[in-house]
Amino acid sequence: MPHGGACCAARPRSPRPARSSAPAPQPLQPWRRPTAPHRFPFLEGAFEPVTEELTAFDLPVTGRIPRELNGRYLRNGPNVLGLEDPRAHHWMLGDGMVHGVRLREGRAEWYRNRWVRSSQVAKKLGEPYPGPLPPDDFPCDTHVIPHPGRILALQESGPLPYELDDELNTVGTYDFRGTLRGPLTAHTKFDVQADELHAIAYYPTWDHVRHQAVGPAGKVVRTTRIPVADAPMIHDFALTENHVVILDMPVTFDSAGAERGDLVPYVWNDRHPARVGVLPRRDGPVRWFEVDPVHYSHTLNAYEEGPHIVVDMTTFDAPFLVAGNGSGGPHTAGTPRLDRWTIDLRHGRVRTRTLDDRPQEFPQVNEALVSRRHRYGYAAAAAEMSRAYQAVDGTPPDGAFANALIKHDLLRGTSEVHRLPADAAASEAVFVPSDPCDGRAAEDDGYAIAYVHNPDRGASDLVIVAAQDFTGEPVARIHLPGRVPLGFHGSWIPDA
């Protein structure tokens, strides 16, 4: 089950709200479309920022929402506010906006979208910012996770997490009861069995990266510094029962670019060796293993198998240009695929192979199995994202990409595809178990849920697909009052 959520507890009931919608606010300083022929794909189509914060109750549904789904589905992503010049924008630096749907007893009680109120967002909205200004303040735009009794919006490399309340209002920054020293990461891993939250943090002026472990009391209980050269971007990592896997690839900090004022001063660095580090979770030195240069984007999961560590993740061929090529976002020569890296601790080598070469991103696993052996994984394929990543001056490669959700059976080496219509771009699909308290339930006994653009309505749906009937019709489509732009990561937060 997702961390921070209790299972098998009595669920409080509340009166059913009448169907309504809050008064639509005036557009809040929307970005202005460029008149020049140059395209900015990360500001257009499925990526185009929304300009309003909406609240709607008693959402219309096609199909039937499973009554066992009681909680909130939240997803974070960049949604730039107050942009006047698109040349000054980078997708990954957009102001964070969290989109949420609240489910209870077979109903979709509400939808909300809210900007994360950092000091600069509060200023843009004409609102006061309470409290002192935190260091490296930023409206965290990458992930949103439950943490016991809290909801945290996350960013990597600098900013503190921002805490949100149950209705997505910003509470303020959060430092794990005063125990977090420096940045966290956007890609935390929660080990259900150990009741620990793990992170790998990096910062451009450090000569190391940090492994951090947060214990059951909500405090950082261990911090380990791992020396690295060139200040690499450690975007994600992997966790096993006894080890932390550090992916040190050739995307490194560019001090000259920072002095020039580059929006994202990270470059592909051919002089930086690509390697994988294995660090014991409790105590011991890190071991490094060389690999061929490649860029990984996100890990699905990792586990131990005798003297081997198996890591499943999505990767891009080198080089990967984080700052893009004039398109306002990352640029690559190809699309991400699902790979498996097997680290041989006995013989000191890494074997890599491709599990599925179809374009796909944001791999997910049943979170009860994080750091343990998994069979199933879920990923999203969005044609518009593939084209935007490859766009150079707005020229897409071709139109052969599909919109789909993918379920991988990694034991059998097969997959199932839930196909979506043209222009129905899908965000990350999160797995939600039918009953998180049933320890005997099958690994895929549950649902894959994702925000999917509905081109017929010009808005988005929250689509719920039965994981054991993956190619069938969704069990429910919850119709939202507005669009959810393509973004990053989210979580299912069950009722306590």
Side-chain angles (χ1 to χ4, degrees):
M1 76 183 216
H3 54 284
C7 63
C8 300
R11 300 186 178 101
R13 302 179 67 90
S14 61
R16 178 171 180 166
R19 177 170 171 75
S20 64
S21 179
Q26 294 299 312
L28 299 170
Q29 301 178 340
W31 76 280
R32 300 170 184 173
R33 294 177 183 274
T35 56
H38 187 96
R39 283 192 58 235
F40 296 92
F42 292 94
L43 288 170
E44 303 168 6
F47 294 93
E48 183 174 350
V50 297
T51 62
E52 298 175 338
E53 292 183 328
L54 302 176
T55 301
F57 297 100
D58 202 14
L59 306 175
V61 179
T62 298
R64 182 173 296 177
I65 300 171
R67 293 184 67 84
E68 63 266 28
L69 296 185
N70 291 277
R72 297 166 179 82
Y73 175 61
L74 309 182
R75 202 224 68 194
N76 203 348
N79 194 91
V80 65
L81 174 65
L83 179 68
E84 294 186 357
D85 184 354
R87 294 170 299 179
H89 174 67
H90 190 282
W91 181 46
M92 296 190 301
L93 297 181
D95 305 294
M97 175 176 274
V98 176
H99 300 258
V101 174
R102 203 276 189 256
L103 305 181
R104 192 195 322 249
E105 302 294 340
R107 293 180 291 114
E109 287 192 344
W110 54 250
Y111 163 80
R112 286 179 168 87
N113 63 318
R114 296 291 186 270
W115 273 288
V116 177
R117 258 60 169 188
S118 67
S119 57
Q120 56 263 50
V121 167
K123 182 178 180 181
K124 292 175 185 178
L125 295 175
E127 300 174 358
Y129 181 80
L133 184 66
D136 295 312
D137 188 34
F138 188 80
C140 301
D141 70 8
T142 309
H143 204 351
V144 55
I145 65 168
H147 186 65
R150 303 177 191 274
I151 298 170
L152 303 180
L154 304 180
Q155 189 79 20
E156 62 189 78
S157 187
L160 287 173
Y162 263 94
E163 181 180 354
L164 311 177
D165 68 16
D166 288 346
E167 295 183 345
L168 308 187
N169 301 304
T170 301
V171 176
T173 56
Y174 185 68
D175 61 3
F176 296 88
R177 302 184 181 182
T179 61
L180 179 62
R181 303 286 187 262
L184 190 69
T185 184
H187 299 86
T188 53
K189 311 294 179 190
F190 183 71
D191 184 333
V192 173
Q193 296 187 36
D195 197 11
E196 286 185 341
L197 181 70
H198 290 257
I200 291 288
Y202 69 96
Y203 197 72
T205 61
W206 289 354
D207 60 359
H208 63 278
V209 297
R210 297 178 186 176
H211 168 239
Q212 301 156 328
V214 179
K219 296 182 179 181
V220 177
V221 295
R222 291 190 305 281
T223 299
T224 304
R225 298 190 177 195
I226 303 109
V228 295
D230 303 323
M233 175 182 284
I234 308 291
H235 183 64
D236 201 352
F237 72 106
L239 187 72
T240 72
E241 185 176 358
N242 297 293
H243 298 92
V244 180
V245 180
I246 305 151
L247 302 165
D248 181 8
M249 299 295 121
V251 175
T252 63
F253 181 66
D254 178 19
S255 57
E259 291 180 3
R260 288 193 304 268
D262 292 356
L263 289 173
V264 184
Y266 281 85
V267 296
W268 183 265
N269 182 356
D270 285 320
R271 298 184 300 276
H272 184 85
R275 58 182 188 163
V276 177
V278 176
L279 174 74
R281 276 173 58 165
R282 301 298 173 183
D283 188 32
V286 64
R287 292 181 60 190
W288 292 104
F289 305 83
E290 292 187 1
V291 294
D292 291 333
V294 70
H295 179 72
Y296 69 96
S297 56
H298 300 99
T299 60
L300 187 155
N301 194 32
Y303 60 88
E304 296 164 14
E305 192 173 57
H308 302 97
I309 293 176
V310 178
V311 186
D312 292 340
M313 59 185 162
T314 47
T315 66
F316 294 83
D317 287 331
F320 183 87
L321 306 181
V322 178
N325 209 1
S327 62
H331 170 70
T332 72
T335 52
R337 61 185 177 269
L338 183 65
D339 281 356
R340 170 166 289 181
W341 292 16
T342 303
I343 305 167
D344 187 336
L345 299 176
R346 180 178 296 163
H347 297 100
R349 60 193 180 202
V350 180
R351 183 176 70 254
T352 66
R353 66 186 179 98
T354 295
L355 300 175
D356 189 344
D357 63 1
R358 289 174 294 187
Q360 57 196 284
E361 250 288 25
F362 307 126
Q364 287 286 311
V365 70
N366 181 333
E367 288 197 4
L369 296 176
V370 168
S371 79
R372 268 69 176 180
R373 183 163 188 160
H374 60 280
R375 174 175 176 177
Y376 300 107
Y378 306 86
E384 198 158 346
M385 181 171 287
S386 296
R387 289 192 292 267
Y389 264 54
Q390 297 182 76
V392 180
D393 294 329
T395 304
D398 59 55
F401 303 107
N403 294 299
L405 303 177
I406 304 172
K407 175 188 177 183
H408 295 283
D409 184 333
L410 299 166
L411 177 63
R412 295 182 176 178
T414 60
S415 64
E416 297 176 89
V417 178
H418 184 89
R419 301 191 183 280
L420 299 166
D423 300 322
S427 296
E428 174 187 74
V430 170
F431 177 83
V432 181
S434 296
D435 183 356
C437 303
D438 185 359
R440 297 173 298 177
E443 180 184 335
D444 62 344
D445 184 1
Y447 305 92
I449 60 178
Y451 290 126
V452 177
H453 182 63
N454 186 325
D456 294 332
R457 295 195 308 114
S460 293
D461 297 334
L462 179 60
V463 174
I464 303 176
V465 177
Q468 294 182 339
D469 183 24
F470 201 76
T471 61
E473 284 293 309
V475 297
R477 294 185 183 91
I478 302 169
H479 304 299
L480 309 184
R483 291 188 307 107
V484 178
L486 283 176
F488 298 136
H489 307 288
S491 298
W492 169 252
I493 304 179
D495 287 351

